[in-house]
C-alpha cells in the first residue's frame, strides 16, 4: 500500500513529456501496484494480514476503497461466495463464456452505483489540484488495466475449462518470477483454493 501511495503521489505531480518512454513504463508499474493493492484486500478477506480481525478488515476496507471506491463488505461477501460455490451458477466469478462476456459479467457482479459515484466525485475533486493528463494516465488507466490483470491471471486462466479437482482450478507451471509479475503468485490458483488462509507472499512455498 505504501509503495502504491508513494508512486501515485510522484506520478500525479510529475511534469512529464509524452516523448519520455518512462511515462509508458510507469503506467504498467502503477498497474502492477494497483493489482497489489487489491491483492492486499483479498488477503484481508482471508484474514492473513494480521491475527487481529479488526486490523484485517480495516486494511481490507482501506485497500479496496483506495483501489477504486469499492465497498469491502460487498466484495467480502462475493469473494467467499466464490470459494464456497466455485465453478457453479452461484459463483460470482464464473461465467461459461469467452473472455469478454465473462469479464463484463465479472465486473457487473462487483461494480456498484455507489462506487461509480464515489469515483466520479474523487476525480472531480482531484482535478482541482492535479493535471488532468496525470489523473487519466496514472490514476484512471492503471486501475482499469489492473482489472484485466486480476481477471485474466486470477480468474479467467485458472477457472476456464474443465478441471479434475474439487476446486475446478488450474495452476501455473512453477516459475516464481512469472507468477509474481503476472498476479502476485495468484497464478498458483489451485494452491490458493487448497490453502486460502495462506498469504500471497507465501503461495510460492506450496508449489511443488
Amino acid at each position: 500500500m505504501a509503495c502504491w501511495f508513494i508512486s501515485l503521489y510522484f506520478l500525479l505531480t510529475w511534469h512529464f513529456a509524452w516523448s519520455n518512454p518512462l511515462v509508458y513504463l510507469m503506467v504498467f508499474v502503477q498497474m502492477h501496484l494497483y493489482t497489489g493493492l487489491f491483492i492486499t484486500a483479498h488477503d484481508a478477506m482471508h484474514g492473513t494480514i494480521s491475527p487481529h480481525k479488526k486490523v484485517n478488515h480495516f486494511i481490507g476496507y482501506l485497500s479496496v476503497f483506495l483501489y477504486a471506491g469499492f465497498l469491502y463488505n460487498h466484495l467480502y461477501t462475493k469473494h467467499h461466495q466464490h470459494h464456497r460455490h466455485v465453478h457453479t451458477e452461484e459463483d460470482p466469478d464464473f461465467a461459461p463464456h469467452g473472455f469478454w462476456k465473462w469479464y463484463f459479467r465479472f465486473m457487473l457482479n462487483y461494480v456498484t452505483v455507489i462506487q461509480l459515484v464515489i469515483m466520479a466525485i474523487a476525480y472531480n475533486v482531484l482535478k482541482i489540484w492535479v493535471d488532468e493528463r496525470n489523473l487519466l494516465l496514472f490514476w484512471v488507466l492503471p486501475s482499469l488495466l489492473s482489472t484485466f490483470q486480476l481477471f485474466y491471471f486470477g480468474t479467467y486462466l485458472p477457472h476456464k475449462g474443465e478441471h479434475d479437482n474439487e476446486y475446478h482450478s488450474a495452476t501455473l507451471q512453477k516459475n516464481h518470477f512469472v507468477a509474481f509479475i503476472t498476479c502476485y503468485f495468484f497464478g498458483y490458483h489451485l494452491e490458493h483454493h487448497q490453502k486460502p488462509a495462506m498469504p500471497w507472499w507465501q503461495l510460492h512455498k506450496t508449489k511443488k
Side-chain angles (χ1 to χ4, degrees), residues 123-141:
Y123 180 85
N124 282 282
V125 170
L126 284 171
K127 75 177 185 179
I128 296 172
W129 299 286
V130 179
D131 189 308
E132 203 161 4
R133 296 186 315 160
N134 295 63
L135 267 183
L136 290 170
L137 196 60
F138 301 123
W139 188 62
V140 176
L141 182 58

Side-chain angles (χ1 to χ4, degrees), residues 51-67:
H52 304 289
K53 187 175 181 179
K54 288 184 178 179
V55 174
N56 272 294
H57 288 331
F58 173 75
I59 292 174
Y61 274 108
L62 185 60
S63 296
V64 293
F65 190 81
L66 291 174
Y67 178 81

Side-chain angles (χ1 to χ4, degrees), residues 10-54:
F10 164 74
L11 293 172
L12 292 183
T13 57
W14 185 20
H15 298 289
F16 67 89
W18 291 105
S19 58
N20 186 348
L22 189 59
V23 170
Y24 308 99
L25 174 63
M26 290 309 298
V27 169
F28 287 98
V29 169
Q30 194 64 16
M31 174 195 75
H32 192 64
L33 292 174
Y34 262 102
T35 298
L37 192 62
F38 193 89
I39 294 296
T40 300
H42 169 272
D43 275 12
M45 294 175 198
H46 286 291
T48 63
I49 301 293
S50 166
H52 304 289
K53 187 175 181 179
K54 288 184 178 179

Side-chain angles (χ1 to χ4, degrees), residues 38-188:
F38 193 89
I39 294 296
T40 300
H42 169 272
D43 275 12
M45 294 175 198
H46 286 291
T48 63
I49 301 293
S50 166
H52 304 289
K53 187 175 181 179
K54 288 184 178 179
V55 174
N56 272 294
H57 288 331
F58 173 75
I59 292 174
Y61 274 108
L62 185 60
S63 296
V64 293
F65 190 81
L66 291 174
Y67 178 81
F70 280 113
L71 301 179
Y72 178 75
N73 287 344
H74 177 66
L75 268 63
Y76 182 94
T77 300
K78 292 282 188 180
H79 185 66
H80 284 280
Q81 187 179 343
H82 163 64
H83 274 269
R84 288 193 304 271
H85 305 288
V86 63
H87 216 267
T88 69
E89 290 183 359
E90 296 179 76
D91 180 358
D93 291 8
F94 177 70
H97 306 301
F99 177 85
W100 288 108
K101 284 186 178 179
W102 190 342
Y103 171 78
F104 285 116
R105 181 184 182 277
F106 175 82
M107 293 300 292
L108 286 171
N109 271 322
Y110 288 94
V111 174
T112 64
V113 173
I114 293 174
Q115 178 209 359
L116 295 176
V117 171
I118 289 170
M119 294 306 291
I121 292 171
Y123 180 85
N124 282 282
V125 170
L126 284 171
K127 75 177 185 179
I128 296 172
W129 299 286
V130 179
D131 189 308
E132 203 161 4
R133 296 186 315 160
N134 295 63
L135 267 183
L136 290 170
L137 196 60
F138 301 123
W139 188 62
V140 176
L141 182 58
S143 64
L144 290 175
L145 290 175
S146 78
T147 67
F148 288 102
Q149 184 179 6
L150 285 161
F151 173 72
Y152 185 74
F153 293 106
T155 297
Y156 179 73
L157 279 185
H159 290 299
K160 71 172 184 174
E162 298 298 324
H163 307 284
D164 59 353
N165 58 72
E166 63 181 298
Y167 305 103
H168 300 281
S169 301
T171 187
L172 279 178
Q173 293 296 315
K174 185 176 180 179
N175 186 318
H176 296 335
F177 176 75
V178 170
F180 172 74
I181 290 298
T182 52
C183 202
Y184 293 82
F185 300 121
F186 270 85
Y188 298 156

